[in-house]
Amino acid sequence: MDAIKLRVENLNLFFGNKQILKNINIDFPKNQVTSLIGPSGCGKSTLLRSFNRMHDLSPDAKIEGKLYLEELDLYDKKNSVTNIRKRIGMVFQKPNPLPKSIYENLSYALKIHNYPKNEIPELIENALKESFLWEEVKDELKKPAVKLSGGQQQRLCIARTVVLRPEVILMDEPCSALDPISTKKIEELILKLKKDFTIIIVTHNMQQAQRISDNVAFMYLGELIEFDTCDTIFNHPKNELTQRYIGGHFG
């Protein structure tokens, strides 16, 4: 039995009067990659963003149900959003480096969280190595991050997430704006990172989901239709709707 890192119980999410997520129940195993798949607008990114409290920024968002990081109730008022986002990092669809140097992109978060100054250079080097970026940038750490290529910027954003040693990394279509070579590097990186992190990724790319996932959740119109191992979802789906989506009949 795999240890469960994140748990969702009876989650309903509304924006105003519109219900976006409908009674979602799902467990995410520790140190595994789980892909969320389904057609545009089915609630994948909304579910992903609910884990690190991104919907707190939307005044008309209303959440019912429970979300847990192990035993921590993520929406308990006692738990600070800053602490939750340190434990649950996020990488967005488009790379979003800070308008600072490569080095400062990583040191910024470490300083905010009061890491000892003398430890910061080593933590940054390790995060860049983990993100397969160190060899490419080690002599240019003062260079503006925005001068990096798209693929390098996305790996920098992943390094910026892992430098804080979160337990979970959320990825919202991290390769959709990238070329095939950069995409391959990010996929290799995801497979390597799951040793140390639990990863949940939204992807529209079925081949990508098959290459990197341990588990796959198929969503449709705000509902979780089927959740199982990658092999089961792609080769022996139990639900006809899953079968039709995997087969490319809609989406």
Side-chain angles (χ1 to χ4, degrees):
M1 179 71 181
D2 296 311
I4 300 304
K5 193 69 189 173
L6 279 171
R7 196 162 81 249
V8 182
E9 293 179 359
N10 306 319
L11 174 64
N12 292 287
L13 189 144
F14 302 80
F15 287 131
N17 294 324
K18 187 170 187 206
Q19 186 167 4
I20 309 296
L21 296 176
K22 300 167 187 171
N23 201 35
I24 305 282
N25 289 278
I26 187 169
D27 291 341
F28 294 91
K30 186 177 181 180
N31 295 108
Q32 293 187 17
V33 178
T34 301
S35 286
L36 306 179
I37 64 168
S40 293
C42 70
K44 305 181 297 294
S45 294
T46 304
L47 175 60
L48 194 76
R49 286 160 177 257
S50 59
F51 289 120
N52 70 345
R53 303 265 303 258
M54 293 291 287
H55 301 304
D56 287 18
L57 305 170
S58 305
D60 64 340
K62 186 175 84 158
I63 290 185
E64 299 170 350
K66 293 284 189 185
L67 293 95
Y68 295 98
L69 173 64
E70 293 180 342
E71 300 310 314
L72 181 79
D73 180 344
L74 294 175
Y75 281 81
D76 187 324
K77 296 278 189 286
K78 295 196 298 283
N79 298 321
S80 90
V81 175
T82 308
N83 181 42
I84 286 166
R85 289 188 187 150
K86 183 170 182 281
R87 295 179 67 183
I88 303 178
M90 184 146 186
V91 177
F92 295 91
Q93 186 170 359
K94 286 197 177 128
N96 58 344
L98 301 168
K100 297 172 178 284
S101 70
I102 293 167
Y103 187 89
E104 286 170 315
N105 261 269
L106 279 78
S107 65
Y108 182 73
L110 293 169
K111 285 172 184 166
I112 285 177
H113 289 284
N114 299 314
Y115 279 73
K117 267 189 183 157
N118 60 326
E119 291 177 16
I120 287 177
E122 189 181 348
L123 290 168
I124 287 174
E125 182 177 333
N126 289 341
L128 289 168
K129 282 177 176 170
E130 277 184 304
S131 306
F132 295 166
L133 197 54
W134 176 250
E135 289 305 321
E136 294 166 47
V137 303
K138 64 182 178 186
D139 301 322
E140 306 181 301
L141 294 176
K142 291 184 175 163
K143 175 177 169 177
V146 292
K147 293 271 174 68
L148 294 170
S149 71
Q152 287 174 322
Q153 286 186 25
Q154 193 64 300
R155 278 181 283 144
L156 178 66
C157 292
I158 293 170
R160 196 174 65 195
T161 301
V162 303
V163 77
L164 290 173
R165 312 315 296 168
E167 295 158 57
V168 177
I169 300 177
L170 310 173
M171 296 185 164
D172 195 354
E173 293 193 67
C175 303
S176 68
L178 303 180
D179 61 87
I181 292 169
S182 298
T183 295
K184 186 170 186 288
K185 284 184 176 173
I186 300 277
E187 288 179 2
E188 286 171 7
L189 175 53
I190 288 168
L191 291 171
K192 178 172 166 280
L193 289 175
K194 75 173 182 181
K195 266 197 348 286
D196 300 308
F197 307 95
T198 300
I199 297 174
I200 306 172
I201 178 171
V202 167
T203 179
H204 273 110
N205 184 326
M206 294 301 100
Q207 289 75 29
Q208 178 172 78
Q210 289 180 74
R211 287 191 296 263
I212 64 171
S213 309
D214 298 292
N215 316 289
V216 176
F218 169 56
M219 296 179 68
Y220 185 66
L221 298 179
E223 295 183 45
L224 176 64
I225 304 299
E226 190 166 350
F227 174 69
D228 216 314
T229 63
C230 182
D231 178 60
T232 300
I233 292 288
F234 282 103
N235 298 311
H236 318 284
K238 298 179 179 71
N239 191 293
E240 190 192 338
L241 200 56
T242 314
Q243 200 166 357
R244 286 177 52 221
Y245 181 72
I246 299 296
H249 297 294
F250 68 98

